[in-house]
Amino acid sequence: MNSWANLGFDLHVELPHGIGVRAALLQTLRDAIDSGLLKPGTRLPPSRTLALDLGVARNTVADCYAELAAAGWLVTRQGSGTVVASLADAHIRGTDPSPTRPRFTYSLLPGSPDASAFPRAAWISSARRALTAAPNDAFAATDPRGRVELRNALTTYLSRARGVRVDPNRIVISASSGHGISLLARALGGAIAVDSFCLHLHRQLLVDEGLRTVPISVDESGTCTEELASTSTRSALLTPTHQFPLGGPLTPARRATAVEWASSTGGVIIEDDYDGEFRYDRKPVGALQGIAPQQVAYLGTVSKTLSPAIRIGWMVLPDRLIEPVLATKGPYERWVSSTDQLTLADFIESGRFDSHIRKMRATYRRRRDQLVATLAQQVPQVRIEGISAGLHAVVRLPSGSEQAVLAAAQTHDLGLEGLSTFRHPDVSSVGGDGIVVGYSTPTQSQYPRTLDVLCEALQAALR
C-alpha cells in the first residue's frame, strides 16, 4: 500500500442509501457539523485518505470539501488541510454556535480576565521545561491531593504572597474554586452562612450539594460577622480580602469576630481569596487563614490571574478536613491534568507568575481609573464603589433604574450584570440599585469603545 494511505485522521462516516454517493457525503458531513458531532476547528482527513476509507473516487470527496467550504461549513487552509468552520464562521450560516449562552458585541460581565493577555510564550516555555523534566509517574494515575511539584510551589508562593500558613500535605488541588466549594460542601453538610450579596454561582453550588444557605448582612466594611453568632450554622463562606460584589475588605475587628465564632463553635470558615492579588489604593490584605489555619479552609485559583481555561484551583485545609475532602474527591486525581499542574509549578517557581500578576495589576488599575474618569465626565449622576481592589466596580444607580439600565445595555448589545443578580433569595430588595462592571473582561483595544457603549446605555436609561 502507498505510504499516503497511512496519513491523515480517522473519520466515522456512514453514508445513507438511496441517493448518489456525492449527495450522501454532502448530507452526512453537513448533518455531522450541524449536530455538533464535528466541532468547530476539527481537522478532516485529506480527500485521498477519506476516499480510500469510503471506497469512493478521490474527486468525489474533493468536490464535496470544496462545495462545503464555499458554503461556509468548512475552511481550507494552505498547509493545514481542511477544518470545520470556526465559531465566527458559523454566524455566516445564520446559526448560533452557543444558543444557551448569550454572546455580546461588548461585554463588561464580571469574573473574567482579559483573555488576550494570557502569557502564551511564557506558558509554553514552562510547559516545555516541565514536561522535559517530568518523572514517569506524571503520566500515570496520580495522588488525589495533586502533583507534589505544584503543592511545593504553592506552599512557597502562598506563604510569601498571601500570608497563608501551609505545608504541601495540607494542600489539595481542585479544578476551580467552585469545585473546591462543592468538595467542602459534601464534607461539611448542614447549613452554611453566606453573604446576603455574594457570587450566586457559588451559592447555588452549596444548594446543589444539599446545604441550606443562611444570609448575613454586608456593608462597606465587608461581611457583618457579628451576625454569625445568631445563626445555627457551623460553617460560613466569606470573601474577606475583597467582598464580592460590593468590594469592601473585611475589617480587622470583623476578622477577629469571625475567627472567635469559628473557634468557639468548632466551625469552619471557607475563605474564597477572591481577587487577592489585585489591589490598587490600599495596603496588601493577607489571607484570613494566616491567623486561624485550623478554622479556615482557604481557596485559590488561577481563573482571574491567568485564565479560567487553566482549570486549576487549590484548597489549604484544616487537618480535620483533609481526609473527608480526599474521600469525596476520589482515590486518584481525575479532575486536573498532571501536565498542567507541572506547567503551573514551573510558571510559579520561575517567577513568571509574579511578573504576570504585576503587569496585569498595573493594566487593570489603568482600566479602573479610565472607568472612573469616563463615568464622572459622561454620567455624573452615578457613583462608583468597591474600586480599591479586584477586577470589577459597583456602579450605584438612582433608585428604581437598574432594570432600565440592563434593558438599555441589551439594546446596545452590551453584557452587564445587575446588582440584584447577586442578592440572596431570602433577602428583601434592600441594597439599592446598581450594576457590577467587570472592567477586566474586554481586550485592551476594545476597552475604550466598550466604555463609550456603557455610557450610551446609562444615558439612554437615566435621561
Side-chain angles (χ1 to χ4, degrees):
M1 182 178 292
N2 292 330
S3 60
W4 54 260
N6 296 320
L7 301 176
F9 309 92
D10 286 338
L11 179 65
H12 178 69
V13 174
E14 293 183 4
L15 301 182
H17 299 292
I19 57 177
V21 172
R22 185 176 184 279
L25 182 57
L26 280 171
Q27 176 183 316
T28 300
L29 291 174
R30 274 196 297 258
D31 289 347
I33 297 170
D34 196 45
S35 67
L37 289 175
L38 288 177
K39 302 193 180 301
T42 300
R43 188 174 177 185
L44 300 187
S47 58
R48 181 177 293 180
T49 302
L50 184 58
L52 179 68
D53 291 344
L54 296 177
V56 303
R58 180 189 177 190
N59 285 344
T60 300
V61 178
D63 288 347
C64 288
Y65 280 4
E67 182 171 331
L68 291 171
W73 295 82
L74 302 176
V75 176
T76 302
R77 297 171 179 155
Q78 187 68 32
S80 38
T82 301
V83 300
V84 177
S86 69
L87 293 176
D89 295 325
H91 288 293
I92 297 174
R93 304 196 306 271
T95 63
D96 181 1
S98 182
T100 61
R101 184 175 184 180
R103 296 173 65 89
F104 300 97
T105 302
Y106 309 99
S107 178
L108 289 168
L109 294 171
S112 297
D114 178 357
S116 69
F118 183 78
R120 303 183 191 203
W123 186 260
I124 290 171
S125 177
S126 282
R128 184 181 297 112
R129 187 159 53 204
L131 293 181
T132 299
N136 291 337
D137 67 0
F139 304 98
T142 193
D143 189 334
R145 291 174 297 177
R147 291 297 307 179
V148 67
E149 296 89 344
L150 178 55
R151 289 186 285 119
N152 285 334
L154 285 170
T155 296
T156 301
Y157 172 76
L158 293 174
S159 61
R160 169 176 56 81
R162 301 297 304 128
V164 175
R165 292 164 61 184
V166 59
D167 64 68
N169 291 327
R170 292 174 54 209
I171 295 177
V172 176
I173 300 302
S174 62
S176 64
S177 57
H179 181 216
I181 287 172
S182 293
L183 292 172
L184 283 164
R186 293 175 210 168
L188 293 169
I192 183 169
V194 299
D195 291 343
S196 57
F197 283 83
C198 66
L199 184 59
H200 58 307
L201 301 177
H202 284 177
R203 184 176 63 235
Q204 188 58 49
L205 287 173
L206 296 169
V207 173
D208 291 345
E209 296 298 339
L211 274 65
R212 179 173 63 89
T213 60
V214 178
I216 54 179
S217 304
V218 292
D219 57 25
E220 65 278 1
S221 298
T223 308
C224 298
T225 54
E226 61 274 13
E227 295 181 12
L228 287 170
S230 63
T231 71
S232 59
T233 63
R234 293 283 298 278
S235 56
L237 173 61
L238 305 179
T239 49
T241 303
H242 185 236
Q243 200 281 333
F244 184 89
L246 301 183
L250 199 60
T251 63
R254 288 184 174 180
R255 286 177 165 236
T257 299
V259 170
E260 289 170 6
W261 165 81
S263 299
S264 63
T265 62
V268 173
I269 298 168
I270 301 175
E271 177 181 16
D272 181 4
D273 195 22
Y274 181 80
D275 288 347
E277 291 86 356
F278 297 113
R279 71 227 177 234
Y280 312 119
D281 301 326
R282 70 181 191 207
K283 294 180 180 179
V285 178
L288 182 65
Q289 190 271 359
I291 61 174
Q294 293 304 324
Q295 280 74 49
V296 178
Y298 174 91
L299 301 181
T301 176
V302 297
S303 65
K304 307 296 188 298
T305 51
L306 284 174
S307 166
I310 307 297
R311 304 292 297 162
I312 299 179
W314 48 84
M315 297 174 276
V316 181
L317 300 175
D319 293 334
R320 59 188 155 132
L321 286 180
I322 295 173
E323 289 306 320
V325 167
L326 289 176
T328 300
K329 190 180 181 189
Y332 58 88
E333 179 59 79
R334 56 196 175 98
W335 303 97
V336 185
S337 161
S338 291
T339 55
D340 282 349
Q341 292 185 55
L342 292 171
T343 300
L344 179 58
D346 181 89
F347 198 75
I348 293 171
E349 291 180 333
S350 67
R352 293 186 174 100
F353 190 47
D354 282 272
S355 295
H356 179 71
I357 289 172
R358 286 195 298 272
K359 173 186 173 183
M360 298 314 299
R361 186 183 296 145
T363 296
Y364 293 142
R365 178 171 185 157
R366 287 193 295 270
R367 290 194 185 193
R368 183 210 60 175
D369 292 347
Q370 189 174 353
L371 169 67
V372 171
T374 301
L375 289 179
Q377 181 178 14
Q378 299 190 38
V379 197
Q381 62 266 50
V382 303
R383 72 179 193 275
I384 305 179
E385 298 177 352
I387 59 172
S388 63
L391 302 179
H392 74 275
V394 173
V395 178
R396 292 288 187 173
L397 304 171
S399 179
S401 63
E402 181 177 313
Q403 294 307 313
V405 169
L406 294 177
Q410 287 274 3
T411 301
H412 287 75
D413 205 16
L414 170 67
L416 274 183
E417 289 277 19
L419 188 58
S420 59
T421 300
F422 306 101
R423 184 187 300 122
H424 193 285
D426 294 341
V427 174
S428 69
S429 60
V430 172
D433 287 38
I435 53 175
V436 182
V437 176
Y439 51 79
S440 62
T441 303
T443 64
Q444 192 62 38
S445 60
Q446 292 171 331
Y447 190 57
R449 177 54 187 156
T450 304
L451 288 187
D452 288 341
V453 173
L454 171 65
C455 291
E456 291 167 10
L458 287 169
Q459 290 164 350
L462 301 179
R463 68 166 57 106

